Amino acid sequence: MIKDFSRQSLAALRMLLVLTLLLGVVYPVAVWAAGQAFGARAEGQPVEVDGAVVGSRLLGQQFEGDAWFHSRPSANDHDSLASAPSNLGPSSTDLLALIDERRATVAATEGVDEGDVPPDAVTASGSGLDPHISPAYAALQAPRVAEANGLELSVVADLVEEHTDGRSLGFLGEPGVNVLELNVAVLEETRR
């Protein structure tokens, strides 16, 4: 009986060591190595300005002031640790009031009629971290950004066009403009 127990214990210990090595060392190293084949995509696609990381191409962040394109609203203040929607449904009076407030703010900031404000300017994405805005929202902001930075509107419009991503696989989703990359391009343009 004791012999049988020792043999089983020894087999269990060997299995523990083999699985620990395989799943605790070999597998993580293999996954890391496979990720390195994708370069920056495996590291969160950081965006750098003057050698310093200023954000990720994959995560939306808040921009304030007239000199910058503004991201779409976020239910969680662009906190990547609290990624979630607001859980307010389309029949929620709180959501409707919030949308009306946002629409009035955007219209006043951009100097346009409230009816000209695109939907993504007043509604948050499901995660609250969407890094893109619609080309329509970017075009709405272009005159303000151009004036604040002393740039020609045509230059800023060209930057918007250059930073507009098409549909995924050519047919999925809608075109979008990455706000962080666009603001970095505006910054670079002002330095010329």
Side-chain angles (χ1 to χ4, degrees):
M1 175 103 161
I2 293 184
K3 244 183 183 182
D4 196 34
F5 180 73
S6 327
R7 201 176 76 222
Q8 288 178 354
S9 296
L10 194 56
L13 183 60
R14 280 194 307 257
M15 185 61 96
L16 175 68
L17 293 174
V18 167
L19 288 175
T20 299
L21 182 66
L22 250 166
L23 300 175
V25 178
V26 175
Y27 178 73
V29 168
V31 169
W32 174 82
Q36 295 310 299
F38 295 100
R41 292 184 68 170
E43 298 187 11
Q45 296 187 23
V47 175
E48 294 184 8
V49 173
D50 298 330
V53 174
V54 295
S56 167
R57 183 180 194 287
L58 304 174
L59 297 174
Q61 59 189 43
Q62 187 69 29
F63 292 95
E64 296 178 359
D66 288 344
W68 307 112
F69 284 90
H70 299 166
S71 299
R72 64 186 297 181
S74 172
N76 57 22
D77 296 323
H78 295 92
D79 181 358
S80 62
L81 298 177
S83 173
S86 68
N87 291 329
L88 298 175
S91 62
S92 168
T93 56
D94 291 341
L95 178 61
L96 296 176
L98 186 59
I99 287 173
D100 287 341
E101 179 185 323
R102 289 173 179 165
R103 182 176 288 115
T105 301
V106 170
T109 300
E110 305 304 339
V112 298
D113 184 64
E114 288 186 18
D116 294 332
V117 176
D120 64 313
V122 296
T123 56
S125 68
S127 67
L129 300 172
D130 190 351
H132 294 89
I133 58 175
S134 67
Y137 189 28
L140 183 74
Q141 297 181 70
R144 170 182 48 80
V145 172
E147 183 179 336
N149 286 293
L151 299 171
E152 293 292 324
L153 179 56
S154 62
V155 170
V156 175
D158 288 345
L159 291 175
V160 169
E161 183 67 31
E162 289 170 21
H163 289 86
T164 299
D165 300 327
R167 297 171 185 265
S168 297
L169 301 175
F171 68 95
L172 295 175
E174 296 293 326
V177 181
N178 188 295
V179 179
L180 175 59
E181 290 182 333
L182 180 57
N183 282 333
V184 168
V186 168
L187 176 65
E188 290 172 355
E189 192 65 38
T190 61
R191 292 179 173 180
R192 288 185 182 183

